[in-house]
Amino acid sequence: FFVNRMDTTRIWYTMPLRESFSMPFIYAQLLFVTLYFQRSRSALPKELLLAAITVCTFCLSVTWQFAQFVLLLQAFALYSAQALQMVPTHKVRNVMLIQLVCLSMVCVLQFGNTLIPRSLVISFILASLTVFSIQGRRGLRSRSFVGSFLKMIGYTALMFAIAVALNITIKMLVAEEADRHIYNFVRAKLGLTSPWAERDFDVLLYVCDPSFKGLPSDTWTSLWNNFLLLPYVATAAVLLILLAASVLAHWWRQSNPSKVKSVADEDGNVEDCSDDSSGTWLGSRPDLAYHILYTCFFGFVAMTTVRFKYLWTPHMCVLGAVGVSDKQFFQWLLSLVKVKSERAARVLQ
């Protein structure tokens, strides 16, 4: 992080901005979400982890006006992790409920900030929670490989339809145009309209501002020269391959009920367990599955808008560190080449 500080933070060359006060809470929240998603028992009680997630989510929301967009990207990653059946539904639901409650509290404390109820993240979370309720305890399980895929696509399409309908309805009920320039900028960024069409000063300012353009090529050179890009890309590529393998293997096991092993957690929620010996190691690491989805969404936004680079590059450091220091990952790699666990433990100590 410090070696790449010119790409991971702006505090070295500019005055502290609003997001500078929110950044510590974003990564503190990510830490506690990671611990909460881990399948192995954490040293911290589940209730304490949920309380810590709540505090961090509230603090990052109240200290930055546009934290709702960070939470929206997090919600995308959370829903994707649930849709791919990598993270148990009840855990994703709990984190989304925390986001919803914290945003509601911030709205009240900011004297009815209309940006929050009109935001996409509110509609997305409500739609996701609705779909989770429709799925019931069975979730996305199906007796066929194709059935699992079609259920995922169907429920995702339903969720987006509900989210769009909710957002339109809320905007009709909360008649406020304070966030209109944001959506006009997104439309202009995607090429759906000309920035000159609306004659909106804010949109024209954003379009002309270099910080809202795409990620420049010198960023990749800097990350490469400072030894971050290589471990990050290597780790992300391996985890994406393992993610695809885990999802496909999980769907195949669901089509063969004898291959599915279910266990109940401490709350009595039943979830399917992945068998490490079947080559689906990532299935036993829902925390890493969430991280790879998290970095995909934040990376995409950072590549299209350079200002969001500072939300992505710190996470590149986190994911790159996993590839060079995660003990369980290297134990799994050694097991693939038939190295006994005792010998692997001695090597990794």
Side-chain angles (χ1 to χ4, degrees):
F1 179 88
F2 290 104
V3 172
N4 292 274
R5 61 186 180 277
M6 299 305 294
D7 292 305
T8 54
T9 178
R10 289 193 289 180
I11 63 173
W12 296 98
Y13 57 87
T14 187
M15 59 184 289
L17 302 174
R18 289 172 294 183
E19 62 262 34
S20 300
F21 300 95
S22 182
M23 285 290 184
F25 298 112
I26 292 175
Y27 285 94
Q29 182 223 42
L30 185 60
L31 167 63
F32 292 118
V33 170
T34 301
L35 294 175
Y36 180 59
F37 282 170
Q38 285 180 348
R39 181 163 290 173
S40 58
R41 287 183 175 272
S42 172
L44 299 175
K46 171 181 62 66
E47 294 78 8
L48 184 58
L49 289 174
L50 290 174
I53 295 172
T54 303
V55 172
C56 293
T57 304
F58 173 78
C59 290
L60 75 89
S61 301
V62 79
T63 53
W64 187 18
Q65 179 185 4
F66 297 113
Q68 55 176 289
F69 297 106
V70 176
L71 295 179
L72 177 62
L73 294 176
Q74 289 182 357
F76 285 162
L78 288 168
Y79 180 84
S80 300
Q82 188 276 341
L84 295 174
Q85 303 180 61
M86 298 302 296
V87 179
T89 301
H90 69 279
K91 290 190 175 182
V92 174
R93 182 191 294 114
N94 289 341
V95 176
M96 282 190 167
L97 283 172
I98 288 173
Q99 291 180 333
L100 184 62
V101 170
C102 290
L103 286 171
S104 302
M105 293 171 60
V106 171
C107 179
V108 173
L109 291 176
Q110 293 181 345
F111 306 100
N113 183 359
T114 56
L115 283 175
I116 294 177
R118 290 170 56 92
S119 65
L120 291 175
V121 64
I122 294 293
S123 302
F124 185 88
I125 292 175
L126 291 174
S128 299
L129 295 175
T130 301
V131 168
F132 294 162
S133 299
I134 295 173
Q135 291 175 1
R137 293 183 63 87
R138 183 173 178 80
L140 294 169
R141 297 176 185 174
S142 178
R143 293 185 177 180
S144 67
F145 183 92
V146 176
S148 297
F149 175 75
L150 293 178
K151 286 186 71 173
M152 181 191 70
I153 297 298
Y155 277 121
T156 301
L158 175 62
M159 183 275 299
F160 276 110
I162 295 174
V164 171
L166 278 173
N167 194 254
I168 294 174
T169 303
I170 292 173
K171 288 184 176 180
M172 291 176 60
L173 296 175
V174 184
E176 178 62 52
E177 299 295 330
D179 57 348
R180 181 180 178 182
H181 66 285
I182 299 175
Y183 297 103
N184 288 339
F185 167 71
V186 173
R187 291 171 59 194
K189 189 74 176 177
L190 296 175
L192 300 178
T193 184
S194 170
W196 302 95
E198 298 288 340
R199 297 288 181 177
D200 190 319
F201 175 77
D202 292 319
V203 175
L204 295 175
L205 179 64
Y206 291 156
V207 171
C208 296
D209 190 341
S211 64
F212 288 92
K213 296 186 180 298
L215 197 65
S217 58
D218 59 349
T219 299
W220 303 109
T221 304
S222 175
L223 295 175
W224 176 270
N225 292 336
N226 291 322
F227 308 103
L228 175 58
L229 189 61
L230 179 59
Y232 170 77
V233 171
T235 304
V238 171
L239 290 180
L240 282 173
I241 293 172
L242 290 175
L243 177 64
S246 297
V247 172
L248 294 176
H250 189 68
W251 288 350
W252 178 82
R253 283 197 304 274
Q254 286 184 340
S255 64
N256 297 270
S258 60
K259 300 289 185 179
V260 178
K261 180 178 65 175
S262 298
V263 297
D265 63 8
E266 62 271 19
D267 297 325
N269 298 288
V270 178
E271 57 182 286
D272 296 338
C273 291
S274 298
D275 184 4
D276 296 351
S277 61
S278 64
T280 59
W281 171 80
L282 194 64
S284 63
R285 293 294 302 274
D287 52 322
L288 284 184
Y290 172 68
H291 272 277
I292 190 59
L293 293 168
Y294 182 101
T295 200
C296 287
F297 286 108
F298 278 83
F300 173 77
V301 174
M303 291 179 193
T304 58
T305 306
V306 68
R307 185 169 184 178
F308 287 95
K309 174 180 74 172
Y310 302 99
L311 292 171
W312 179 46
T313 46
H315 191 258
M316 292 178 68
C317 299
V318 174
L319 206 63
V322 170
V324 297
S325 63
D326 188 272
K327 183 177 180 180
Q328 294 182 21
F329 178 66
F330 280 100
Q331 285 178 334
W332 176 75
L333 287 178
L334 291 173
S335 69
L336 292 182
V337 293
K338 310 302 181 182
V339 177
K340 294 183 178 180
S341 58
E342 296 81 0
R343 188 182 305 174
R346 290 197 299 269
V347 170
L348 293 174
Q349 283 179 352

